[in-house]
């Protein structure tokens, strides 16, 4: 379960670094989309972890200059998404990872 909290926080921060607006709304949309997919699989929902979010935000700051989609190789796992659209919807990013 800790890995899932970690992955979600990293997903959110990386997405925010590439232009998703309204952080609070975006965070809720990611959580809702992930938890919906997890419910279909019969696994427990995710919760927000501020420590992991801070790590992810710091890493996103490092990547925003070059926009390279590379994993941090840090203590947490990450799901990274790329889209050619200006605003990748949270539910669409989650869909990429769960299918």
């Amino acid at each position: 379960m800790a890995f899932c909290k970690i992955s979600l926080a990293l997903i959110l921060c990386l997405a925010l670094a590439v232009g998703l607006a309204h952080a609070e709304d975006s965070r809720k949309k990611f959580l809702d989309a992930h938890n919906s997919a997890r419910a279909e699989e019969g696994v427990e929902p995710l919760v927000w972890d501020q420590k992991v979010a801070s790590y992810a935000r710091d890493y996103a700051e490092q990547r925003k200059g070059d926009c390279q989609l590379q994993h941090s190789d840090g203590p947490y796992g990450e799901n990274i998404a790329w889209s050619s659209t200006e605003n990748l919807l949270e539910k669409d990013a989650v869909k990429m990872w769960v299918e």
Side-chain angles (χ1 to χ4, degrees):
M1 184 63 198
F3 176 76
C4 293
K5 289 192 304 187
I6 292 163
S7 293
L8 181 63
L10 289 171
I11 290 163
L12 294 176
C13 288
L14 288 172
L16 290 172
V18 294
L20 287 177
H22 311 294
E24 291 298 319
D25 187 46
S26 185
R27 177 169 60 181
K28 181 178 180 344
K29 287 178 181 177
F30 269 112
L31 280 170
D32 290 348
H34 269 279
N35 287 337
S36 177
R38 292 174 64 81
E40 289 179 20
E41 298 299 322
V43 294
E44 51 187 277
L46 301 171
V47 296
W48 187 256
D49 184 301
Q50 191 56 48
K51 179 181 176 184
V52 176
S54 294
Y55 175 88
R57 188 173 25 264
D58 291 344
Y59 183 66
E61 285 293 321
Q62 294 173 33
R63 295 268 51 101
K64 77 178 182 180
D66 61 22
C67 294
Q68 290 186 17
L69 299 179
Q70 69 183 59
H71 293 281
S72 68
D73 296 323
Y76 308 115
E78 299 128 2
N79 292 329
I80 300 174
W82 178 88
S83 173
S84 60
T85 65
E86 186 173 317
N87 292 311
L88 178 62
L89 296 176
E90 295 85 348
K91 66 182 176 90
D92 293 332
V94 171
K95 186 177 178 181
M96 284 186 214
W97 300 312
V98 298
E99 291 186 341

